[in-house]
Amino acid sequence: MFALFDAYRAGMFHRSHWLPNIIAGLIVGVVALPLAMAFAIASGVKPEQGIYTAIVAGIIVSLFGGSRVQIAGPTGAFIVILAAVVAEHGVDGLQIATAMAGIILLLFGVARMGAVIKFIPAPVIVGFTAGIGVVIWVGQWKDFFGLPPVAGEHFHQKLWHLLQVLPQLDWATTFLASIALALLIAAPRIRVLARVPGPLLALVVVTIIQAIFNFDSVATIGSTYGEIPRGLPSWQVPEITLSRLVELIGPAFAIAMLGAIESLLSAVVADGMAGTRHNSNQELIGQGLANIVAPLFGGIAATGAIARTATNIRNGGTSPLAGIVHALTLVVVLLFLAPLAANIPLACLAAILFVVAWNMSELRHVIKMIKGAPRADVIILLVTFTLTVFADLVVAVNIGVVLAMLHFMRRMAESVVVRRMNGPALDKELAQEGVHQLPPGVLVYAVEGPFFFAAVEAFERALADTHTDPEVLVIRLRNVPFIDATGLQTLEEVVLDLQARGIRVMIVEANSRVSGKLEKMGLTAKLGSGNTIATLIEAIKQLQTQRDSTVPA
């Protein structure tokens, strides 16, 4: 309950803050209504299920989340995943997968993985969000233009069929959709209308036009889904079997990962706008609880909604009270205004999703990254984008993250330097400690950078360049912050090989972390007594003393 305590410590529950938060909550509730229904329909479920989600998730995240201004509910990012789950496993399967995702999110938060999830590379996030935007946009053509149903399992098949039936568009539907889209784009730029939420304005105007002219060819919520039930949802538990749980592990993990990324991004944006500081682990716990409970009331997956959170902050929201009022506003709508929603044209909701898709795509940001980012990052972005659109979001994110990790490891491996120390720099360092030169037959190699599996090749290659066997090989690890199992194994093999050739090996200047691993691996014992030294100077002086003691008087 970090958000509540944080708001309390900041004095946000003082009476002077009640009115601004109540007003912000009312405005966000009004904005959330058309979005919740649009996201639900696009995800393959009934419009009221989106409202149920916004109510349940809005209250739970406000009470148990990690940001005091976060607004949670269904979002456009989930549409691609949820629609695929509904198509393959049905609505019950979606609810089970959502609850499983909630458990995963809860475990992420308890395991304090909030900071880790933030490390997902920006090209991957930009790539899959832009891809989702394209999929949402194309997916709404049917309702925007009033097209007949199209077949096709994959994106390219659906797109081709949509292009084929595009000449069959319904002019009345397209007319209403165009009015809605024009209002959504123009309203924020007109001073008189700027204070009215664009989605609400489009919803009211287009619904009134449809009620007056009653176009027979225009699909509405009532004609497609029936009347939205008046009242609160009832408790419902889907049938759960072991086989279904196994089938839904993949989708559940995808929902959890996307929900974690989206909610934490939203919390970061909120911090920048409101000057707050969120708790990422508590945010994951709050999102997990919301996704566990929402399906039990007929809801779908939820996460932090960036647009609604920003609206909340711009209108004076400073505490969880605004999020709770936003949910209660939707409750009032369900109790008293639900029958009116039957007249809402689906074309209006499609226009709203057109704008959502445009905002998600962040075209300017994508173009900026393509022009200015390193080539490898651009490739990762384009691969993630392409796979999101033409294959699968889960595959896209997984491959994008793997490519980013491989690129990072390659860069890290390139940053590791293994070099033979000689020349003026070494002479100067030795002279400062009273040592004039290296003893004959002694070579010093320095490893600079993390000694991990990707850097092993550089180490082996550098040692292979030693054309003549020295009497003593000193390996300097002063600039090695850590060493992994592969690095330890390689180092051990090198030491044993050199010892078999009669070369003495000494390791110097390893930090406590590295030296502890060397000892635990048993390498310190294999090096022998006196071959693990604190400093290079001590090692050289020890070698000089031993050499002097063996020279006949």
Side-chain angles (χ1 to χ4, degrees), residues 368-379:
K368 182 179 178 181
M369 285 196 71
I370 291 175
K371 287 183 177 180
R375 189 192 312 175
D377 289 332
V378 173
I379 293 173

Side-chain angles (χ1 to χ4, degrees), residues 9-371:
R9 285 197 302 267
M12 295 302 166
F13 289 129
H14 189 272
R15 288 185 179 181
S16 61
H17 293 284
W18 288 7
L19 184 59
N21 280 282
I22 291 172
I23 293 174
L26 289 170
I27 293 173
V28 176
V30 169
V31 171
L33 177 63
L35 292 175
M37 291 189 294
F39 292 145
I41 291 172
S43 299
V45 299
K46 295 181 178 180
E48 61 265 26
Q49 291 181 265
I51 302 176
Y52 299 158
T53 306
I55 292 171
V56 176
I59 292 175
I60 292 178
V61 170
S62 294
L63 292 175
F64 300 101
S67 170
R68 66 182 191 226
V69 292
Q70 181 84 283
I71 302 295
T75 67
F78 280 133
I79 289 175
V80 176
I81 296 178
L82 304 192
V85 174
V86 171
E88 186 173 352
H89 303 282
V91 177
D92 283 354
L94 173 60
Q95 292 174 324
I96 295 172
T98 300
M100 292 170 65
I103 294 172
I104 294 170
L105 284 168
L106 188 63
L107 294 175
F108 280 172
V110 172
R112 308 184 67 81
M113 293 183 64
V116 176
I117 292 171
K118 293 180 185 178
F119 295 149
I120 293 179
V124 177
I125 295 175
V126 173
F128 78 70
T129 52
I132 290 172
V134 171
V135 173
I136 292 174
W137 176 60
V138 173
Q140 294 306 305
W141 286 13
K142 174 183 174 296
D143 290 334
F144 189 94
F145 297 110
L147 302 175
V150 296
E153 180 180 355
H154 301 291
F155 175 84
H156 66 280
Q157 296 171 330
K158 294 177 182 177
L159 176 61
W160 176 244
H161 290 160
L162 283 168
L163 292 173
Q164 288 180 315
V165 300
L166 192 58
Q168 303 176 35
L169 62 83
D170 178 70
W171 289 106
T173 301
T174 307
F175 170 69
L176 293 179
S178 299
I179 291 176
L181 186 60
L183 288 171
L184 288 164
I185 296 172
R189 296 173 171 82
I190 301 174
R191 182 177 299 179
V192 179
L193 301 177
R195 298 293 296 176
V196 182
L200 177 65
L201 180 64
L203 197 70
V204 171
V205 171
V206 173
T207 302
I208 290 175
I209 294 174
Q210 170 61 19
I212 293 173
F213 293 98
N214 195 24
F215 297 111
D216 293 333
S217 59
V218 173
T220 63
I221 287 179
S223 65
T224 307
Y225 299 98
E227 190 173 284
I228 292 180
R230 177 183 293 178
L232 297 176
S234 58
W235 178 276
Q236 48 185 278
V237 180
E239 183 181 351
I240 300 174
T241 62
L242 181 60
S243 60
R244 297 198 82 181
L245 293 177
V246 173
E247 290 174 356
L248 293 167
I249 287 177
F253 191 79
I255 293 171
M257 287 300 298
L258 191 56
I261 295 169
E262 188 85 356
S263 64
L264 294 179
L265 283 176
S266 178
V268 170
V269 171
D271 286 347
M273 294 181 65
T276 56
R277 187 173 183 178
H278 75 281
N279 183 315
S280 56
N281 297 313
Q282 185 63 43
E283 181 63 24
L284 293 180
I285 291 173
Q287 297 292 343
L289 292 173
N291 282 283
I292 292 172
V293 178
L296 300 177
F297 290 95
I300 57 177
T303 186
I306 296 176
R308 275 158 278 173
T309 299
T311 302
N312 178 39
I313 296 169
R314 290 193 192 104
N315 288 279
T318 57
S319 77
L321 177 60
I324 295 171
V325 171
H326 134 268
L328 295 179
T329 302
L330 294 173
V331 171
V332 171
V333 170
L334 273 179
L335 293 177
F336 300 103
L337 302 176
L340 299 178
N343 298 316
I344 297 174
L346 296 184
C348 178
L349 300 180
I352 292 172
L353 288 177
F354 267 27
V355 176
V356 170
W358 170 259
N359 293 333
M360 285 191 67
S361 67
E362 294 187 299
L363 183 59
R364 291 179 182 175
H365 186 44
V366 171
I367 294 174
K368 182 179 178 181
M369 285 196 71
I370 291 175
K371 287 183 177 180

Side-chain angles (χ1 to χ4, degrees), residues 495 499 505-507 518 522-529 531-532:
V495 168
Q499 289 176 338
V505 181
M506 302 178 75
I507 291 180
L518 295 177
L523 188 54
T524 302
K526 292 177 181 176
L527 286 168
S529 177
N531 288 323
T532 306

Side-chain angles (χ1 to χ4, degrees), residues 389-421:
V389 174
F390 293 101
D392 179 78
L393 177 61
V394 180
V395 173
V397 174
N398 288 340
I399 292 180
V401 170
V402 169
L403 288 176
M405 290 174 60
L406 291 174
H407 174 57
F408 173 75
M409 286 187 291
R410 183 179 69 84
R411 295 292 300 273
M412 286 291 290
E414 290 175 351
S415 70
V416 177
V417 177
V418 183
R419 60 187 178 87
R420 179 178 172 180
M421 298 189 65

